Amino acid sequence: MIIAAELQMQGNKHIGVNSSMLKILADELNDEIIIFCDTLHKDILAEKYEYNNISWRTFKYSGEFELKKIAIPLKVMREVFLSFKIFILAHNKKSNLIFFFSSYPFTQFFLNIFSFIFNQKIIVCQHGDLGVLSMRKPKILSKIFGYAQRFFFNFRFNKVIVLFYGESVRKLFFSKFKKYNSNNVISIDHPYNFRSDLPVKIKSRPIKISGIGTGLINKNSQYIYKLAKLLEEEIKRGEIIFQHIGNISPEVLSYRNGLVIEKGNKFMDYDIFKKELNESDFFIYFFEKDTLYDLCPSGTFFDAIKYQKPILAIENPFFSHYFEKLGDIGFLAKDLNELKDYIAKGSMKNDNIFLSNLENATYLLDLKEIGKSFKIQFDEINN
């Protein structure tokens, strides 16, 4: 038996990666699975695939409260409490594995201890929180997160397997932190369901350039307002529309200048979110080198592949790795000004090579191939 738990991300967050990873677990490990998650997450997950041998345990979905910083201590306490219950269940059921889709760094401290106490094999997936170790000037909360991450990797027990989403993340992590134990590590491409029943959008004027996902300072999401200002004349001539699809933090909203359309400042209905993504022409990203997103795999990057939208982005290790692996799937700029110049010259009009490489990417990053890679590495650790 396998127990899989999503105790951190609620509602429609991480649906793409969680549904795909769940499919991999079900197909490759061929065992009964019990899933722990909130009620809404369960409903959306259940629609994605037909899973075999799966049962569900749920807790209440807490909605917009999840977005508030004040909720973090309560969420951590909830995670730790539910984690302990899961370890007890795993012990009673003689479970082979507990798989944690995501968890706060504070919670990982306890997962490590629980794994030792119960002598239980677990896999802990690494997401955005890992990126705090690359931040140049972390705030107090980020520093605390960083201390928790360092403690986890310094004192990780041998029954604790770490899963990195992306070989570029794994390589960079262990090149930066050479003293950390690199045993019992799995590295796979970020799993994603690229199937889509949405029609392909035909390009028209004006060109829609969209920032997507949660708008945060750590993502440099405020740069979309700066870039729009640099291209104000093109916007006024009706050549370009800048928009952000997804909720936006108050810190980012303080950069508002009336040149960016904001769609979905709270939890957005998933069907509306998909429609807005599909009607975009380009997705834009502002992650920079030596910041949070050096070690943080971007799930929204895979939205670009699914929806076949060329990427406009600033260079960082994650994007450079996938542009090298997949070919030109958009344009990588050294900075905001180079990005502005590229857009102003109208270079985006000739994007057939981008679209061809994006289509090929869905085969190179096929879920079955990622699943095979996961199984090979998992078996190597167990042997």
Side-chain angles (χ1 to χ4, degrees):
M1 171 181 286
I2 298 167
I3 300 176
E6 178 54 277
L7 307 181
Q8 181 187 19
M9 295 296 173
Q10 286 206 22
N12 61 14
K13 287 186 175 183
H14 282 199
I15 283 295
V17 62
N18 286 356
S19 62
S20 300
M21 198 64 232
L22 182 55
K23 178 68 172 171
I24 288 173
L25 293 175
D27 289 351
E28 298 296 335
L29 301 188
N30 193 29
D31 204 345
E32 181 185 353
I33 301 177
I34 297 176
I35 309 293
F36 275 80
C37 62
D38 73 84
T39 50
L40 180 56
H41 200 79
K42 179 253 182 181
D43 290 342
I44 301 174
L45 271 183
E47 293 176 356
K48 288 294 180 181
Y49 292 106
E50 290 184 5
Y51 307 105
N52 296 321
N53 297 323
I54 281 186
S55 57
W56 304 85
R57 305 278 180 97
T58 60
F59 54 91
K60 185 180 179 182
Y61 169 59
S62 53
E64 293 178 19
F65 181 70
E66 293 288 306
L67 297 174
K68 299 178 181 179
K69 288 184 179 179
I70 194 174
I72 292 177
L74 296 175
K75 289 170 67 176
V76 171
M77 286 189 287
R78 180 187 67 202
E79 278 190 30
V80 173
F81 173 72
L82 290 174
S83 297
F84 187 69
K85 289 182 65 176
I86 288 169
F87 274 92
I88 292 174
L89 177 66
H91 177 74
N92 292 337
K93 295 280 189 179
K94 295 181 171 52
S95 174
N96 300 320
L97 175 70
I98 306 176
F99 187 95
F100 290 94
F101 289 108
S102 68
S103 54
Y104 276 113
F106 301 122
T107 308
Q108 291 179 15
F109 167 83
F110 289 97
L111 297 183
N112 196 32
I113 292 173
F114 294 159
S115 173
F116 177 75
I117 292 172
F118 288 93
N119 193 31
Q120 174 66 57
K121 183 178 297 178
I122 68 173
I123 293 179
V124 182
C125 300
Q126 298 299 316
H127 290 276
D129 291 330
L130 195 65
V132 301
L133 298 175
S134 287
M135 294 175 69
R136 287 171 284 196
K137 295 181 179 179
K139 294 181 180 179
I140 292 176
L141 183 60
S142 296
K143 283 184 178 180
I144 296 172
F145 271 33
Y147 292 141
Q149 288 280 19
R150 288 182 177 91
F151 189 92
F152 172 74
F153 281 100
N154 268 321
F155 301 101
R156 181 165 59 93
F157 294 112
N158 59 7
K159 290 269 185 176
V160 180
I161 301 169
V162 170
L163 189 151
F164 291 99
Y165 285 129
E167 182 62 10
S168 66
V169 176
R170 185 197 66 81
K171 283 183 176 179
L172 187 59
F173 181 83
F174 287 110
S175 68
K176 283 191 172 188
F177 307 104
K178 294 181 174 62
K179 67 177 181 178
Y180 292 156
N181 177 14
S182 60
N183 296 323
N184 293 355
V185 167
I186 295 174
S187 169
I188 59 174
D189 286 310
H190 196 293
Y192 198 96
N193 172 23
F194 293 119
R195 295 179 305 166
S196 178
D197 55 2
L198 294 171
V200 176
K201 180 181 178 293
I202 299 173
K203 283 195 184 329
S204 60
R205 288 291 189 176
I207 293 175
K208 288 185 178 180
I209 301 174
S210 301
I212 64 174
T214 305
L216 299 170
I217 291 290
N218 284 337
K219 296 180 180 179
N220 292 325
S221 300
Q222 71 277 12
Y223 282 11
I224 196 169
Y225 297 104
K226 296 181 179 181
L227 184 59
K229 186 64 178 177
L230 294 173
L231 292 162
E232 186 172 5
E233 292 304 314
E234 287 80 358
I235 293 172
K236 288 181 177 178
R237 288 199 299 266
E239 297 174 4
I240 301 169
I241 288 176
F242 281 99
Q243 58 184 16
H244 185 92
I245 305 168
N247 59 288
I248 306 174
S249 71
E251 293 88 350
V252 172
L253 287 175
S254 68
Y255 288 84
R256 275 176 167 165
N257 56 15
L259 297 173
V260 178
I261 298 170
E262 295 150 6
K263 297 190 174 183
N265 235 348
K266 296 182 179 179
F267 277 109
M268 180 183 283
D269 180 84
Y270 193 59
D271 288 334
I272 296 174
F273 181 71
K274 290 193 297 182
K275 181 176 180 293
E276 293 291 348
L277 295 187
N278 194 57
E279 292 181 352
S280 302
D281 295 301
F282 290 82
F283 291 165
I284 193 163
Y285 306 82
F286 300 102
F287 314 143
E288 293 178 308
K289 189 177 179 181
D290 297 324
T291 63
L292 179 106
Y293 275 83
D294 276 6
L295 297 174
C296 176
S298 170
T300 58
F301 165 80
F302 297 92
D303 286 324
I305 297 174
K306 174 173 181 173
Y307 290 91
Q308 301 288 280
K309 306 300 179 184
I311 288 167
L312 302 173
I314 295 175
E315 288 180 359
N316 85 334
F318 180 83
F319 280 105
S320 295
H321 168 77
Y322 277 106
F323 269 64
E324 182 177 341
K325 179 171 183 170
L326 305 175
D328 288 336
I329 51 175
F331 177 72
L332 288 183
K334 290 184 173 59
D335 53 34
L336 208 59
N337 284 323
E338 188 174 10
L339 202 53
K340 181 265 294 183
D341 291 340
Y342 180 81
I343 296 171
K345 290 175 183 177
S347 306
M348 301 178 296
K349 296 174 185 175
N350 302 314
D351 62 359
N352 287 337
I353 186 65
F354 300 159
L355 295 175
S356 176
N357 287 337
L358 283 166
E359 182 178 2
N360 191 45
T362 63
Y363 298 100
L364 293 174
L365 300 174
D366 181 74
L367 199 58
K368 289 183 179 179
E369 295 303 314
I370 295 174
K372 289 177 184 177
S373 176
F374 171 82
K375 183 64 162 56
I376 289 170
Q377 294 176 72
F378 182 75
D379 288 345
E380 286 177 351
I381 291 172
N382 288 322
N383 290 335

